[in-house]
């Protein structure tokens, strides 16, 4: 099952696929070029039938931020679609047009990682308290726990 | 300006219908809800950051405390992820014990929920009875693991405690009683007229909407969609245990109630089967301290639905990144859809209908010790 | 003579006795409700927790009395007193220790109806004056609820009056005792309608819509605290006494002497039975939604109440 999906993804995306791993049954990790991300995820959702978005994870790699879209096919095969964006200018097209519930996860990543989503209208804080200072993204590696302790909330 | 045609009714962060602080802003036209805006994060504890601080064995305790009701689901998911990273294969007996505890937890969580829904519908008698019988399961937990709420049975490489033949008999005795009572409650739920009036046809979530908004767990199964991680993506011992997947076509709060109650009966069968077929042998293997670089997606069917953990290791004893996605968060979009066009009086029961667990969803724990002074963002 | 009248009004079977009865009935209600739900109920204050309602009342009396800034102060502080006085006054009409009430007069049945309407208006004012979202929703719901049960209630009250050819509760009791029968046997439908209306009037499950705690906090009572809340609780207890006394007097024969047993004891037993029935009903059902309640009242209860009147007109149940 997983092999067939990988094959179809590879034949569709061709050289845009940077890395593929199938560590065990029902798990696929696939890294694609950021430029072809939207096409890749559209293909996975609409053509391959990955109808369930489990979550979006953001990871701070230092200079770049890695975004992982966890998609599930028939609730069984889990495809992790990985892209990398530069940390300074982290801008990714939203997929809330394909997957309405992704807005929630995108707002979460925006809150905690500082990735902006192009086309997402509502970027108000979701998890962080009101009055949280701008430009401080707690899950980025440069903020340690003790730094976060010192943050004072702005009074609204 | 004219007058506003809608009134705003805030629900929470403190509200008797919500057992945990979360805020929903309802815009109502008369008695009908026309818009709803959720604001989550009131119990955000910065857990994902904290996961990066601790070693794998420390984080075990953190995972235990993501949620009080589904603690074993979180630790199962965590140990599964980390064991896969470390390349540890746990003994078969440990897998069965984990399954038994996970299913007992489902019993406990679902019966808690049935009580809460009865309470939201103003049916306090059912609430009291269900919670009285829930004590049977809680006492079993105390017997088996030493903790009523935080079981701490799972550990890296296996489980902490074995189930003795004596305890097997005790579990079976408790289950027999619990099964009898659950069948009785199922009868009450399906026949009590006033309760049906409040739940049947209330909070409709069409199967199409449920699927496209990615609802999970009993909320999805209550809309008639067959979806269960235990069946579709088997983990621990579920691949070896035969059981039925429960669905119901009502798409309303009643069918969510029925799904959960019937799931309790199914859980009882799973536990019985697991107790009978539990292989002998070790319950634990040694887990290494460090995990080689890698990443893993771990999924578990928590009582509330699909629970997903993502872990990435970097070769040290601490994870590079740990991500938790609790089922309640996945159910929020479909909940908001369900809440459109309902009566204000139905809001509590629909909110309760997804079995919200907001602490899970926000992934945090303690509000800071310094809350009396300035508000700090604390661990 | 004046001294005896005063004693009757103030001590027995007047105010003091009624307060004791109110606390006793609250205890019975709580204890029975708890037993039905497989709980213990009040346990520690006094024998079997008998003094718990009194203790609760005293505790509330010396608690801080918070008054919201936005509220209408005059109404806000006066409604709790009115809420106690109304059922207390009405209880003087009802025969408790003999076959005539303390201040019985011809037409007091109409007065009782009027008091019931007035109580709902008090509740409405209580919610309205506290200017809180939940209170206002609660008070509007309580007014809506009154609109739906008022007419069946009136019709159910009229039944015994037609049978006894009198609008005085005392004469209805005397008529039942003279004919050696109970209203319950003659007009079972009317009894059922009246009982349901009493559940609605007392805002008990399944009709506790105006104070549905999971929906609107405590409904119209949300903003009241301290002494005012104590007054409301006492008023509620007296209302339960009133409801059980009315059911007893109109349908269960009222305070008739039974051999050597004094009428007051007979009355107590009968009304305790009614209280237990009320709390049993409270334990059996889930709460209706307000629209379901109104629809049910108009669609089912009203025709049934009219049917009872027709039956009486046909000569049945008189």
């Amino acid at each position: 099952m997983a092999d067939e999906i990988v094959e179809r993804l590879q034949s569709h995306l061709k050289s845009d696929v940077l890395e593929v791993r199938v560590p065990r049954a029902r798990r696929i990790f696939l890294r694609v070029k950021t430029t072809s991300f939207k096409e890749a995820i559209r293909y996975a959702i609409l053509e391959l039938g990955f109808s369930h978005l489990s979550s979006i994870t953001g990871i701070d790699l230092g200079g770049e931020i890695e975004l992982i879209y966890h998609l599930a096919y028939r609730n069984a095969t889990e495809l992790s679609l990985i892209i990398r964006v530069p940390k300074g200018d982290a801008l990714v097209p939203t997929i809330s047009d394909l997957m309405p519930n992704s807005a929630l996860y995108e707002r979460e990543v925006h809150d905690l990682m500082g990735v902006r989503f192009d086309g997402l209208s509502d970027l108000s804080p979701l998890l962080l308290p009101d009055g949280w200072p701008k430009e401080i993204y707690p899950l980025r590696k440069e903020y340690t726990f003790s730094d976060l302790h010192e943050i004072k909330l702005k009074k609204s | 300006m004219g007058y506003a045609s809608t009134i705003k009714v805030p629900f929470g962060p403190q509200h008797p219908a919500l057992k945990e602080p979360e805020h929903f802003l309802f815009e109502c036209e008369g008695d009908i809800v026309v818009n709803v805006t959720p604001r989550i994060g009131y119990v955000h504890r910065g857990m994902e950051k904290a996961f990066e601080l601790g070693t794998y064995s420390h984080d075990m305790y953190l995972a235990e405390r993501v949620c009080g009701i589904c603690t074993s689901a979180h630790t199962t998911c965590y140990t599964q992820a980390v064991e896969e990273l470390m390349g540890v294969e746990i003994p078969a007996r440990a897998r069965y014990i984990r399954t038994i505890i996970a299913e007992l937890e489902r019993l406990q969580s679902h019966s808690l929920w049935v009580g809460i829904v009865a309470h939201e519908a103003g049916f306090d008698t059912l609430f009291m009875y269900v919670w009285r019988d829930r004590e049977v399961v809680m006492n079993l937990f105390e017997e088996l693991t030493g903790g009523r709420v935080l079981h701490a049975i799972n550990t890296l490489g296996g489980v902490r405690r074995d189930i003795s033949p004596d305890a097997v008999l005790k579990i079976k005795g408790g289950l027999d009683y619990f099964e009898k009572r659950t069948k009785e409650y199922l009868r009450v739920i399906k026949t009590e007229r006033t309760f049906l009036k409040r739940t049947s046809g209330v909070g409709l979530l069409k199967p199409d909407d449920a699927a496209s908004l990615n609802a999970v767990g009993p909320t999805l199964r209550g809309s008639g969609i067959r979806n269960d991680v235990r069946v579709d993506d088997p983990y621990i011992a579920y691949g070896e245990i035969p059981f039925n997947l429960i669905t119901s076509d009502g798409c309303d709060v009643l069918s969510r109630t029925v799904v959960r109650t019937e799931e309790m009966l199914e859980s009882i069968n799973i536990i019985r089967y697991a107790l009978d077929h539990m292989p002998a042998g070790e319950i634990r293997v040694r887990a290494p301290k460090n995990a080689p670089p890698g990443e893993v997606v771990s999924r578990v069917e928590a009582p509330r639905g699909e629970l997903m953990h993502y872990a990435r290791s970097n070769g040290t004893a601490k994870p590079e990144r740990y991500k938790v996605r609790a089922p309640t968060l996945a159910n929020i979009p479909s909940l908001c859809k369900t809440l459109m066009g309902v009566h204000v009086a139905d809001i509590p029961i629909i909110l309760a209908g997804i079995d919200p667990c907001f602490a899970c969803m926000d992934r945090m724990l303690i509000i800071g010790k310094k809350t009396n002074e300035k508000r700090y963002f604390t661990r | 003579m004046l001294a005896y009248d005063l004693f009757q009004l103030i001590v027995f079977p007047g105010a003091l006795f009624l307060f004791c009865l109110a606390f006793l009935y609250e205890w019975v209600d709580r204890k029975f409700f708890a037993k039905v739900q497989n709980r213990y109920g009040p346990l520690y204050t006094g024998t079997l927790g008998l003094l718990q309602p009194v203790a609760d009342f005293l505790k509330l009396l010396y608690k801080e009395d918070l008054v919201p800034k936005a509220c209408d102060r005059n109404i806000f502080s006066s409604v709790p007193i009115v809420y106690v006085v109304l059922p207390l006054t009405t209880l003087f009409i009802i025969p408790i220790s003999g076959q005539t009430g303390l201040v019985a007069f011809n037409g007091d049945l109409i007065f009782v109806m009027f008091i019931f309407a007035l109580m709902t208006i008090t509740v409405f004012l209580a919610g309205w004056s506290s200017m809180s979202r939940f209170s206002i929703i609660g008070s509007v719901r309580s007014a809506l609820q009154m609109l739906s049960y008022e007419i069946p209630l009136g019709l159910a009250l009229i039944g015994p009056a037609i049978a006894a050819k009198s609008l005085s509760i005392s004469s209805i009791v005397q008529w039942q005792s003279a004919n050696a029968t109970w209203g319950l046997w003659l007009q079972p439908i009317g009894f059922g309608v009246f009982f349901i209306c009493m559940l609605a009037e007392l805002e008990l499950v399944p009709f506790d819509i105006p104070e549905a705690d999971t929906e609107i906090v405590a409904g119209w009572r949300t903003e009241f605290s301290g002494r005012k809340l104590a007054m409301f609780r006492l008023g509620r207890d007296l209302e339960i006494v009133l409801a059980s006394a009315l059911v007893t007097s109109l349908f269960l024969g009222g305070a008739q002497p039974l051999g050597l047993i004094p009428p007051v004891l007979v009355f107590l037993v009968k009304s305790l039975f009614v209280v237990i029935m009320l709390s049993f009903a409270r334990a059996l059902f889930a709460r209706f939604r307000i629209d379901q309640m109104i629809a049910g009242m108009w669609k089912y209860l009203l025709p049934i109440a009219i049917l009872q009147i027709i039956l009486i007109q046909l000569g049945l149940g008189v």
Side-chain angles (χ1 to χ4, degrees):
Chain A
M1 190 70 245
D3 297 332
E4 189 191 321
I5 289 169
V6 170
E7 223 165 80
R8 285 187 66 182
L9 273 167
Q10 263 174 335
S11 66
H12 183 76
L13 297 167
K14 302 203 176 64
S15 62
D16 289 344
V17 177
L18 299 174
E19 196 185 337
V20 185
R21 274 179 302 119
V22 184
R24 73 166 176 93
R26 302 189 297 271
R27 293 286 185 277
I28 306 167
F29 291 90
L30 184 96
R31 191 154 75 84
V32 296
K33 278 188 186 156
T34 313
T35 44
S36 61
F37 156 70
K38 186 87 185 203
E39 173 56 22
I41 203 152
R42 189 201 63 78
Y43 185 72
I45 292 173
L46 296 182
E47 319 260 320
L48 293 180
F50 278 88
S51 56
H52 183 92
L53 177 71
S54 288
S55 190
I56 303 172
T57 309
I59 304 176
D60 185 359
L61 296 178
E64 286 176 311
I65 285 179
E66 192 166 287
L67 285 179
I68 308 178
Y69 289 73
H70 304 281
L71 294 157
Y73 172 73
R74 290 193 182 158
N75 197 30
T77 310
E78 187 88 13
L79 166 70
S80 299
L81 197 68
I82 305 170
I83 51 166
R84 287 186 184 162
V85 287
K87 202 167 176 179
D89 179 35
L91 185 72
V92 181
T94 176
I95 60 161
S96 53
D97 46 341
L98 295 165
M99 209 45 123
N101 75 323
S102 74
L104 215 54
Y105 303 127
E106 286 174 0
R107 278 171 69 187
E108 184 188 333
V109 174
H110 173 260
D111 264 20
L112 302 175
M113 273 290 172
V115 178
R116 284 174 301 121
F117 287 89
D118 192 16
L120 187 66
S121 49
D122 183 10
L123 281 175
S124 56
L126 184 78
L127 286 170
L128 295 180
D130 295 326
W132 183 264
K134 277 190 176 150
E135 308 291 314
I136 291 187
Y137 304 111
L139 274 185
R140 287 193 177 181
K141 294 282 184 198
E142 64 253 36
Y143 298 102
T144 63
F145 233 100
S146 36
D147 290 344
L148 295 171
H149 261 253
E150 300 306 316
I151 288 172
K152 283 175 191 162
L153 297 182
K154 268 184 276 176
K155 283 201 183 108
S156 51
Chain B
M1 295 288 279
Y3 13 29
S5 60
T6 58
I7 36 166
K8 289 193 168 123
V9 180
F11 239 68
Q14 284 98 20
H15 191 279
L18 302 170
K19 305 295 175 258
E20 289 171 275
E22 222 60 56
H23 180 78
F24 291 88
L25 185 65
F26 293 99
E27 274 177 52
C28 305
E29 246 169 42
D31 198 31
I32 305 294
V33 176
V34 290
N35 196 14
V36 48
T37 323
R39 170 75 169 94
I40 67 173
Y42 283 87
V43 261
H44 184 91
R45 296 164 292 180
M47 258 197 162
E48 288 182 1
K49 189 83 179 170
F51 266 110
E52 293 167 16
L53 278 179
T55 62
Y56 288 110
S57 50
H58 280 144
D59 287 347
M60 182 79 228
Y61 299 96
L62 207 53
E64 186 98 43
R65 282 153 182 80
V66 172
C67 171
I69 304 295
C70 37
T71 147
S72 136
H74 280 281
T75 48
T76 307
C77 208
Y78 175 81
T79 45
Q80 201 169 267
V82 175
E83 279 154 9
E84 199 181 319
L85 278 179
M86 291 173 170
V88 175
E89 181 82 17
I90 66 165
R93 190 173 176 84
R95 283 193 288 123
Y96 271 82
I97 294 176
R98 278 186 191 177
T99 312
I100 291 165
I101 298 293
E103 288 306 313
L104 276 176
E105 189 179 78
R106 198 177 310 276
L107 288 182
Q108 176 265 111
S109 171
H110 280 357
S111 55
L112 175 130
W113 181 84
V114 169
I116 287 188
V117 140
H119 176 63
E120 304 291 1
F123 195 6
D124 277 357
T125 310
L126 182 61
F127 163 63
M128 297 287 174
Y129 271 79
V130 173
W131 277 42
R132 179 197 69 183
D133 293 329
R134 180 172 168 264
E135 279 304 296
V136 175
V137 184
M138 301 304 273
N139 291 338
L140 280 180
F141 272 133
E142 195 175 354
E143 192 91 19
L144 291 173
T145 68
R148 280 163 58 88
V149 178
L150 296 176
H151 318 313
I153 185 95
N154 296 337
T155 188
L156 292 177
V159 290
R160 233 165 28 84
R161 283 197 190 189
D162 202 355
I163 297 181
S164 65
D166 215 26
V168 170
L169 287 181
K170 265 188 189 148
I171 300 177
K172 282 189 171 163
L175 287 183
D176 286 342
Y177 173 78
F178 197 79
E179 183 177 31
K180 208 173 75 213
R181 298 302 308 172
T182 309
K183 282 187 174 150
E184 171 66 13
Y185 299 137
L186 188 60
R187 187 189 66 79
V188 171
I189 287 164
K190 281 182 170 169
T191 53
E192 165 57 40
R193 295 286 293 276
T194 45
F195 187 71
L196 287 179
K197 270 235 175 249
R198 284 310 296 277
T199 52
S200 145
V202 169
L204 287 175
L205 179 64
K206 292 194 203 97
D208 299 351
D209 290 336
S212 69
L213 290 169
N214 291 352
V216 295
T219 312
L220 191 54
R221 293 196 284 276
S223 290
I225 294 177
R226 293 178 60 82
N227 176 308
D228 191 325
V229 179
R230 289 178 293 170
V231 177
D232 303 326
D233 188 5
Y235 56 101
I236 43 180
Y238 287 113
E240 300 152 33
I241 299 174
F243 65 98
N244 296 326
L245 202 163
I246 311 283
T247 56
S248 172
D249 302 330
C251 308
D252 50 10
V253 175
L254 177 68
S255 70
R256 277 162 232 161
T257 318
V258 171
V259 162
R260 283 190 172 95
T261 320
E262 287 182 353
E263 242 171 48
M264 273 153 75
L265 295 173
E266 204 54 47
S267 286
I268 292 173
N269 291 335
I270 295 177
I271 299 170
R272 285 205 184 116
Y273 183 92
L275 285 173
D276 290 340
H277 294 77
M278 196 158 54
E282 283 294 300
I283 54 162
R284 186 173 179 182
V285 292
R286 263 197 94 74
K289 225 174 135 214
N290 296 357
E295 57 188 338
V296 60
V297 173
S298 165
R299 296 165 81 219
V300 155
E301 181 78 15
R304 287 161 184 78
E306 178 213 29
L307 167 69
M308 198 214 76
H309 285 201
Y310 168 85
R312 171 174 289 187
S313 54
N314 51 9
T316 63
K318 294 177 180 178
E320 169 81 13
R321 173 86 169 91
Y322 201 87
K323 159 100 186 169
V324 178
R325 204 277 280 127
T328 305
L329 186 62
N331 273 334
I332 292 286
S334 61
L335 172 68
C336 292
K337 171 88 186 170
T338 315
L339 283 168
M340 296 287 183
V342 303
H343 291 273
V344 172
D346 282 335
I347 293 172
I349 198 161
I350 295 172
L351 267 181
I354 65 157
D355 196 358
C357 179
F358 295 121
C360 249
M361 174 170 88
D362 293 355
R363 268 155 286 140
M364 54 343 277
L365 247 125
I366 322 135
I367 316 278
K369 2 168 197 176
K370 297 182 182 167
T371 35
N372 302 340
E373 312 153 26
K374 284 162 199 139
R375 282 194 54 202
Y376 286 138
F377 179 71
T378 49
R379 223 181 313 181
Chain C
M1 209 53 216
L2 180 72
Y4 181 64
D5 278 351
L6 272 179
F7 174 78
Q8 274 199 321
L9 270 180
I10 294 166
V11 186
F12 180 86
L16 204 61
F17 175 71
L18 291 172
F19 285 145
C20 292
L21 214 56
F23 290 130
L24 175 73
Y25 283 10
E26 189 195 332
W27 176 82
V28 170
D29 177 51
R30 280 168 70 172
K31 198 80 182 167
F32 187 78
F33 190 52
K35 286 286 172 203
V36 174
Q37 294 190 340
N38 217 294
R39 293 184 288 121
Y40 285 112
L43 205 58
Y44 296 109
T45 325
T47 319
L48 290 172
L50 204 55
L51 293 177
Q52 190 62 49
V54 189
D56 286 351
F57 181 73
L58 292 178
K59 178 199 77 180
L60 280 176
L61 280 186
Y62 64 76
K63 284 242 162 171
E64 190 186 0
D65 198 347
L66 295 167
V67 180
K69 258 189 193 154
C71 76
D72 185 333
R73 248 169 188 282
N74 292 335
I75 302 179
F76 192 77
S77 359
S78 55
V79 273
I81 301 162
V82 179
Y83 193 75
V84 174
V85 169
L86 284 177
L88 191 63
T89 338
T90 323
L91 275 167
F92 288 155
I93 297 170
I94 294 171
I96 291 176
S97 67
Q99 293 205 351
T100 27
L102 280 180
V103 283
F105 53 91
N106 203 1
D108 49 16
L109 199 64
I110 305 289
F111 182 69
V112 167
M113 277 236 44
F114 166 69
I115 291 285
F116 275 141
L118 216 54
M119 296 226 38
T120 314
I121 290 169
T122 316
V123 162
F124 181 78
L125 283 177
W128 197 255
S129 65
S130 40
M131 287 304 287
S132 141
R133 226 179 236 111
F134 299 119
S135 303
I136 290 176
I137 294 179
S139 59
V140 168
R141 283 183 180 187
S142 119
L144 277 173
Q145 187 156 312
M146 181 186 87
L147 291 179
S148 58
Y149 71 75
E150 190 87 305
I151 293 169
L153 175 69
L155 290 173
L157 278 176
I158 286 301
I162 298 176
K165 298 199 171 47
S166 163
L167 276 174
S168 153
I169 296 171
S170 301
S171 10
I172 293 173
V173 171
Q174 283 153 18
W175 178 82
Q176 291 179 72
S177 125
N179 288 293
T181 183
W182 284 3
L184 171 61
W185 312 130
L186 297 174
Q187 303 167 4
I189 305 176
F191 172 76
V193 171
F194 188 68
F195 189 77
I196 293 172
C197 290
M198 277 298 110
L199 280 176
E201 164 69 34
L202 291 172
E203 295 173 3
L204 298 177
V205 176
F207 305 117
D208 65 335
I209 306 157
E211 46 192 79
D213 58 344
T214 50
E215 291 161 23
I216 45 171
V217 193
W220 51 270
R221 283 198 298 193
T222 308
E223 297 299 332
F224 291 90
S225 53
R227 287 191 298 277
K228 299 192 178 74
L229 186 60
M231 284 301 147
F232 273 121
R233 289 182 57 115
L234 182 63
R236 154 59 51 86
D237 294 346
L238 284 168
E239 223 184 327
I240 289 179
V241 178
L242 175 61
S244 61
L246 264 181
V247 176
T248 310
S249 302
L250 295 179
F251 290 97
L252 301 180
Q256 307 172 356
L258 199 74
L260 285 178
I261 308 168
V264 65
L265 278 185
V266 176
F267 174 85
L268 278 184
V269 171
K270 285 176 182 171
S271 56
L272 269 177
F273 171 73
V274 176
V275 170
I276 286 176
M277 270 175 62
L278 285 171
S279 61
F280 197 51
R282 189 151 78 93
L284 281 186
F285 299 111
R287 181 186 309 122
F288 284 116
R289 213 167 54 207
I290 184 81
D291 55 323
Q292 292 169 342
M293 186 262 180
I294 294 172
M297 286 283 184
W298 284 100
K299 259 197 220 152
Y300 305 110
L301 208 64
L302 185 61
I304 291 173
I306 292 174
L307 175 75
Q308 177 66 65
I309 299 295
I310 293 172
L311 286 178
I312 296 169
Q313 288 303 327
L314 294 175
L316 296 160
V318 178

